Structures are given as structure tokens and as C-alpha cells.
Amino acid sequence: MHASLPDVDSLIAQLAAAIAPTLTPDTAIVGIHTGGVWVAERLHGLLQRPQPMGTLDISFYRDDFSRIGLHPQVKPSNLPFDVEGRDLLLVDDVLHTGRTVRAAMNELFDYGRPASIRLAVLVDRGGHELPIRPDFAGLVLAVPPHQNINLSRLDDGHLTLSLA
Amino acid sequence: MNVQLTPDGRLRHLLTLDGLPRAILTQILDTAESFMDVGEREVKKVPLLRGKSIFNLFFEPSTRTRTTFEIAAKRLSADVVNLNIATSSQTKGEAILDTVDNLAAMHADMFVVRHSQSGAAHFIARHVAPHISVVNAGDGRHAHPTQGLLDMFTIRRYKGAFHNLTVAIVGDVLHSRVARSQIHALTTLGVPEVRVIGPKTLLPTGVEQMGVKVFHDMEAGLAGCDVVIMLRLQNERMKGALLPSSQEYFKFFGLTPEKLALAKPDAIVMHPGPMNRGVEIASEVADGPQSVILPQVTYGIAVRMAVMAMLAGGTTA
């Protein structure tokens, strides 16, 4: 199963190529912790953005908080630019139900009113539960509900996808 | 069994720092760090506790603690009701548990309790329904865990770590719930040397058993300290013949620039408030460059947000 998954670096290169012509001078990239930040870092490098990259931890915005509680390792969100009036490219590793993206958008709006938000994901695995679709997807793959597709980072920084 | 923890080791109530594992203390401090940024944003609120009702039950007056709990709850989007019970039903003779039952019937999700009797918050925690959490906001001489935590947060922010510090707590340790919570937190977090400094009449007998070194004079006690925590001297102690006068106390145990110079040059000065200027601390020190007394108040909001967020989540599982 693992062998059939494409190489992450080439998926990110394709994503960058698709995104590049759509960027405005002040578009900022925002990665969602943790896998989305890894992908966003790569895109930020490939696209040579002048702005620093932003990161979001959506733990304080999750819709399952009252059921499962606070994630034990919350990381600070960091948006080192003014969100108000800015074009944003939101980046996550895997789009599944869409609930993480919804939470991320809610959080972004608490920093200001962005001019636009577009969504780039490494993998759109299906199983959407909300009307949220990616503007850019490296890979569209229908993963059965009982399976998970995960992005992991090796010690040398190498990113790999795996099905479990 | 620790009433503060769920069977799977999560925080259920916050009543005392005594017996809480280091991992939980560290998780609270880390979560508070994430909440610090929320205070800097356009919208200073997160939706975590939307729809939850938090009751501040203050059986004893407080301004700073009650206000920072209220701000923290509001930044988590909870609904907050403040009750100053000294001026309410208790004066009509209503028992404390009747008050709590009535508020629970109004669909309370959390009680923040301040009471002059040690053990009041524990008493309420043992009584409430499983979905209700209790936070101790100070009980008698026993504990003030959120103050202890915000002090640890302050120390970590300025000093970076705990394992290489010498921390002195100065003053009326005997009557201080703040000091007790600080000592438990400092030792749990691995501070190698915790000192208490004060006159014999204001240090509890056997305080050494809490893992602290005892000093009765400031010169020896402050030497080489990284952190100096001053405690409030309550005026009523003068009347109880524990001390001759506030002038005498200031002469021996008041923190002046000269005495502070004995600590390390980069030592920070903390105080839980409210301060008695000219009794336990000189104004030049309280307002001086080494004082972190006002940042402590700001950090108190983030720390109380972290505690309430950790308590309120996962309760319907």
C-alpha cells in the first residue's frame, strides 16, 4: 500500500506550480499545525514569498472540545503580519471532514478580516462533512472511511505519506 | 485518591498544587503560553467555553483575583456570574451547600471559590455533580493554586527554566496560602533551592519538611537569589502580638534597594498583591526595574484561561 503513494516532494512541487500564478504581491501563507506547517514551509520556500509565514494551532477553535477536551500539546498560533485586508493561502496536509479548515477560518477572522482565503492541501482524501473544497490539491485520493492517510516527517526533514 | 484528577489522570478540579504531577503543571504553563497571544489580537476571545456558565463564588473579598478570573472566563466566551456572598444569602444564614445547589440548579458548569475557611473548595468539589468543576481561588491559609501557577509562569518567562534557580519567599509564610502553593509548585517543578525568610513568629513550625531552607535574616537569605517573592503582611498580624510594629518589620524584612542588591544582579522581584508599600516592600523596589509585579497580573489572565479550558473540556465524554 505504502509503495503506491506518490513522493511528497513532487506533490509539493506540483502544488507550488499551480499556486504560483495566482499569488498577489501581499499573499501570505498560513500553515495549520502540525502537518500543514510542514507543507507550508516547503511551499513558502519554493514560492519565495517576501512575507514571513504564519502558523495556526486550532485547538481553541475545535468543535469537539466539549467531547474530547483540550489537546494536551497546544502550540501558540503565530501570524507575523496584519490579517486585515490580506490575501491568505491556508495550507493543510490532509483534507478530510473539513472541520479543521472551518476552525482555522474562524480563528483567522479573530485576527482581522482577510481580503480572501484560498485553501491548498497536500491530499484531499474525501469524506467531507462540510461545504469546504480545496482550491489546490496535490493529490485527490478516495480513502475508505476506516482508513487514515498520514503525513509524517522523518528526522532528516523528509516528508512521507502513509496509509493505515 | 486525588479528587483533583479523573481516573485517566486529567484535571477535574483545581484545589491545591500539593500532589499535582509535574506533567500537569507544565501542561498548564504551556497552555497559558498559547493563550498569551490571544490577548494581543484584534478579537481577544476564543470560542472554547461558549455556552458554559461560570460562577465566581467569593465568600471573601478580592479585586484582582476575581477580576482576572472574570476576564479569563470572558476571553474563553463563557458566561460569568459574580457573587459576593459575604453580602448575600450567607448573611441570612444559608448553608454553603444550599447556595451551591441553588446555583447548580441554574445550570452552572464551573465554580470559582474564594473562602476564608481552609478546605471550603474541597468541600464543594466533593459535593457537586460530575459535570461541574471547582477552582479554588484561595481558601483560608491552605492554598491559592492559580496564584502559585501564575507565579511559576512569571518565573519561567523571565528565567527560562526552573532547574538552576534559587528562589526566596519572604515574609508572613505562616498565614499565607500563596506561599504554600508556591512552595509545592517550585519543588514539583524542580527548583533546587527554595528559601523562606521571615521572623520566627511568622514561619510555620516544621516548614523545613516542605523542602525549604529557613532564614531569619535578609542578608543571608537573599544572597545569590534569582527570584525574590515578597508576601503581603496582613495588618491584623500586628494586633495579634506577632510583631512589634510595621516600622520595625520594614527595618528587618522590608525589601529595600540595598537589600535587593544582595541577590543576583538580574534577580526579579514578585509580589502577589495587594502591596503594603513601606511595610514589606519599598516603593523604589516595587516600581523599580527588577519588579515584575504588574506582568504577574497580566499573566494571571492567561494562566486562569488555561486552567478553566483544561477543566471544562471533555466533561460530556
Side-chain angles (χ1 to χ4, degrees):
Chain A
M1 222 36 195
H2 291 222
S4 67
L5 288 168
D7 173 58
V8 172
D9 288 336
S10 49
L11 287 179
I12 293 177
Q14 289 167 34
L15 262 183
I19 292 165
T22 70
L23 293 177
T24 60
D26 77 350
T27 301
I29 297 178
V30 179
I32 302 174
H33 276 296
T34 305
V37 172
W38 299 336
V39 178
E41 282 167 350
R42 297 291 176 87
L43 289 174
H44 190 257
L46 288 171
L47 295 166
Q48 300 183 321
R49 301 307 298 161
Q51 292 86 8
M53 196 188 97
T55 61
L56 280 184
D57 185 310
I58 55 109
S59 297
F60 300 147
Y61 289 79
R62 291 180 66 101
D63 61 8
D64 52 6
F65 166 74
S66 62
R67 204 156 45 80
I68 63 172
L70 199 59
H71 190 278
Q73 272 130 22
V74 184
K75 298 180 182 71
S77 291
N78 177 31
L79 296 176
F81 43 77
D82 200 355
V83 167
E84 187 74 28
R86 188 176 294 277
D87 292 311
L88 298 176
L89 180 73
L90 186 61
V91 180
D92 205 359
D93 50 355
V94 178
L95 176 65
H96 184 199
T97 62
R99 289 174 193 270
T100 299
V101 173
R102 186 196 85 117
M105 288 197 288
N106 286 354
E107 177 159 7
L108 286 173
F109 274 82
D110 284 348
Y111 285 84
R113 180 181 182 272
S116 70
I117 303 177
R118 278 172 303 155
L119 176 64
V121 297
L122 188 64
V123 184
D124 179 359
R125 61 151 287 175
H128 304 165
E129 295 171 359
L130 297 173
I132 288 172
R133 304 288 179 269
D135 298 284
F136 309 96
L139 173 69
V140 179
L141 183 69
V143 176
H146 61 275
Q147 278 197 310
N148 273 319
I149 185 162
N150 290 314
L151 181 68
S152 40
R153 186 164 70 168
L154 306 177
D155 289 340
D156 64 1
H158 197 73
L159 299 177
T160 56
L161 281 170
S162 60
L163 274 169
Chain B
M1 195 193 93
N2 195 334
V3 67
Q4 300 194 94
L5 299 178
T6 60
D8 61 346
R10 293 161 61 120
L11 203 58
R12 160 96 173 80
H13 303 289
L14 181 67
L15 306 173
T16 170
L17 301 182
D18 186 11
L20 275 192
R22 186 192 288 203
I24 295 255
L25 300 188
T26 305
Q27 189 191 348
I28 295 170
L29 301 184
D30 290 347
T31 306
E33 199 63 58
S34 296
F35 280 123
M36 284 296 291
D37 299 337
V38 175
E40 312 289 320
R41 301 189 325 198
E42 173 82 18
V43 177
K44 295 175 180 53
K45 268 178 180 293
V46 295
L48 274 186
L49 268 58
R50 214 154 59 94
K52 305 265 187 198
S53 297
I54 297 179
F55 284 72
N56 279 333
L57 302 185
F58 279 67
F59 296 90
E60 186 185 84
S62 154
T63 308
R64 187 181 356 260
T65 301
R66 204 212 62 213
T67 309
T68 49
F69 265 111
E70 180 177 352
I71 293 169
K74 286 179 170 169
R75 290 206 178 153
L76 293 167
S77 306
D79 296 311
V80 189
V81 181
N82 289 313
L83 290 130
N84 293 320
I85 302 187
T87 58
S88 165
S89 302
Q90 294 280 307
T91 51
K92 298 178 203 154
E94 185 175 87
I96 185 168
L97 291 184
D98 285 331
T99 304
V100 166
D101 284 341
N102 275 281
L103 298 173
M106 299 175 201
H107 302 289
D109 296 291
M110 191 181 300
F111 291 119
V112 176
V113 180
R114 156 76 61 101
H115 202 289
S116 58
Q117 295 289 315
S118 299
H122 279 82
F123 182 60
I124 294 171
R126 279 195 299 271
H127 174 78
V128 293
H131 71 279
I132 298 177
S133 300
V134 177
V135 181
N136 184 3
D139 63 327
R141 298 183 189 182
H142 172 243
H144 193 351
T146 58
Q147 178 72 44
L149 288 165
L150 79 87
D151 293 332
M152 298 309 111
F153 188 78
T154 307
I155 292 172
R156 199 174 75 167
R157 278 226 144 194
Y158 283 92
K159 295 294 168 191
F162 295 102
H163 66 273
N164 51 359
L165 297 182
T166 299
V167 179
I169 302 171
V170 185
D172 183 4
V173 177
L174 179 64
H175 300 94
S176 176
R177 55 195 176 209
V178 173
R180 249 165 285 274
S181 288
Q182 288 166 340
I183 292 168
H184 288 306
L186 289 166
T187 51
T188 303
L189 290 168
V191 171
E193 185 155 334
V194 182
R195 303 174 178 177
V196 294
I197 310 174
K200 285 192 174 70
T201 47
L202 292 181
L203 297 182
T205 49
V207 67
E208 300 86 347
Q209 284 155 21
M210 294 179 79
V212 299
K213 280 195 186 177
V214 176
F215 291 85
H216 297 299
D217 82 280
M218 292 284 266
E219 281 67 27
L222 290 179
C225 282
D226 300 282
V227 178
V228 181
I229 302 175
M230 302 307 296
L231 298 174
R232 171 180 167 77
L233 186 74
Q234 285 157 353
N235 289 325
E236 53 269 33
R237 308 300 168 224
M238 263 27 112
K239 297 175 198 139
L242 293 170
L243 288 173
S245 72
S246 58
Q247 291 87 346
E248 179 97 351
Y249 183 82
F250 183 70
K251 187 175 162 213
F252 287 103
F253 294 100
L255 189 62
T256 57
E258 296 74 36
K259 288 186 198 134
L260 180 57
L262 300 165
K264 285 193 185 156
D266 64 346
I268 55 169
V269 175
M270 296 167 53
H271 192 299
M275 283 185 282
N276 293 307
R277 291 168 181 265
V279 180
E280 70 264 5
I281 189 164
S283 279
E284 300 95 294
V285 175
D287 305 327
Q290 288 170 269
S291 167
V292 297
I293 295 170
L294 289 176
Q296 283 179 270
V297 179
T298 307
Y299 299 160
I301 297 170
V303 167
R304 288 171 176 130
M305 287 173 80
V307 167
M308 291 194 278
M310 285 170 62
L311 288 173
T315 48
T316 57

